[in-house]
């Protein structure tokens, strides 16, 4: 006679209809963004070039560091680390986890936090910092920028006439996630 075993069931918390609708809407958004860069060749349909991943991730409202992006790309590569392509199914699985369970780790800073950071470089309270000074900081500290990246960012921030960055407006721009309010 076989020993009696207890059936083991895994229960997940019940989701409300609104939560399920929000989850499905997020899945549609992930699919929609992926489709913008999806390859259309016969042998690559349903895939994207992994070099597009940073753009896709940011277009989903996330703002990962370079290290976080490397981690995401490594996870997306999985076993197939040499092809340079990411399959949609794997992409959806990873991004849905990031967007639902880890979103706070990847979101943009709010305007006030960005303003505090700029004010740290403006001890006299002038309301601006020198563009060349910020460029040097961007390229030498923290998650450093490459020269081209620093130049592209500063192109949107530096007042051409003075060479200053009036950071109040720039902080608002940096805090936006590109979506309508």
């Amino acid at each position: 006679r076989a020993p009696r075993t207890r059936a083991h069931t895994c229960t997940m918390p019940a989701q409300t209809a609104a939560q399920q609708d929000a989850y499905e809407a997020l899945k549609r958004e992930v699919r929609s963004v992926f489709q913008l860069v999806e390859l259309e060749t016969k042998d690559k349909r349903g895939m994207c070039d992994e070099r597009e991943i940073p753009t896709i991730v940011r277009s989903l409202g996330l703002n990962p560091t370079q290290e976080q992006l490397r981690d995401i790309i490594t996870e997306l590569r999985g076993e197939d680390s040499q092809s340079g392509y990411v399959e949609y199914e794997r992409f959806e699985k990873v991004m849905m986890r990031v967007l639902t369970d880890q979103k706070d780790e990847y979101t943009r800073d709010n305007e006030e936090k960005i303003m505090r950071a700029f004010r740290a470089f403006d001890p006299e309270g002038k309301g601006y910092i020198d563009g060349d000074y910020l460029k040097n900081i961007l390229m030498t500290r923290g998650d450093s920028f490459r020269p081209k990246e620093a130049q592209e960012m500063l192109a949107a921030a530096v007042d051409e006439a003075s060479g200053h960055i009036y950071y109040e407006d720039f902080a608002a721009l940096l805090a936006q996630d590109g979506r309508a309010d």
Side-chain angles (χ1 to χ4, degrees):
R1 177 174 175 191
R4 249 183 162 178
T5 59
R6 200 180 256 188
H8 179 65
T9 57
C10 180
T11 58
M12 297 193 56
Q15 287 188 323
T16 66
Q19 288 171 320
Q20 187 61 34
D21 288 348
Y23 185 83
E24 292 302 320
L26 188 57
K27 277 179 84 167
R28 285 190 300 276
E29 182 178 5
V30 167
R31 179 71 184 149
S32 175
V33 170
F34 186 89
Q35 286 175 327
L36 294 174
V37 296
E38 183 176 4
L39 299 169
E40 294 296 328
T41 61
K42 185 177 178 181
D43 61 330
K44 300 284 190 261
R45 189 164 282 122
M47 303 176 114
C48 79
D49 188 314
E50 72 180 28
R51 293 173 294 189
E52 298 287 352
I53 297 301
T55 302
I56 298 171
V57 169
R58 289 185 182 106
S59 69
L60 288 167
L62 302 175
N63 190 27
T65 64
Q66 290 300 318
E67 182 179 348
Q68 288 171 321
L69 274 173
R70 280 191 295 272
D71 291 345
I72 289 171
I73 291 169
T74 298
E75 185 175 353
L76 288 170
R77 284 178 180 154
E79 303 291 319
D80 184 22
S81 63
Q82 301 301 316
S83 79
Y85 299 101
V86 175
E87 293 180 2
Y88 175 73
E89 290 75 23
R90 181 180 290 276
F91 176 80
E92 180 187 62
K93 180 181 173 187
V94 170
M95 291 312 302
M96 289 304 293
R97 179 183 47 74
V98 167
L99 289 164
T100 58
D101 299 342
Q102 299 175 301
K103 187 170 184 166
D104 291 343
E105 297 173 30
Y106 297 93
T107 54
R108 288 174 169 80
D109 291 326
N110 64 36
E111 187 174 343
E112 183 52 39
K113 188 173 184 178
I114 295 169
M115 286 290 292
R116 284 194 312 267
F118 277 120
R119 286 184 191 121
F121 297 108
D122 180 22
E124 292 101 39
K126 299 175 286 188
Y128 65 85
I129 57 176
D130 183 68
D132 289 334
Y133 176 65
L134 182 60
K135 182 177 181 179
N136 182 52
I137 289 170
L138 291 172
M139 292 174 43
T140 59
R141 300 197 184 151
D143 196 9
S144 60
F145 284 46
R146 286 177 261 155
K148 184 178 179 184
E149 292 171 323
Q151 193 59 44
E152 286 175 3
M153 187 187 117
L154 293 174
V158 175
D159 177 67
E160 290 182 27
S162 66
H164 297 149
I165 297 170
Y166 295 93
Y167 52 81
E168 195 168 315
D169 293 334
F170 192 50
L173 179 67
L174 291 173
Q176 290 178 356
D177 69 0
R179 299 168 197 223
D181 291 331

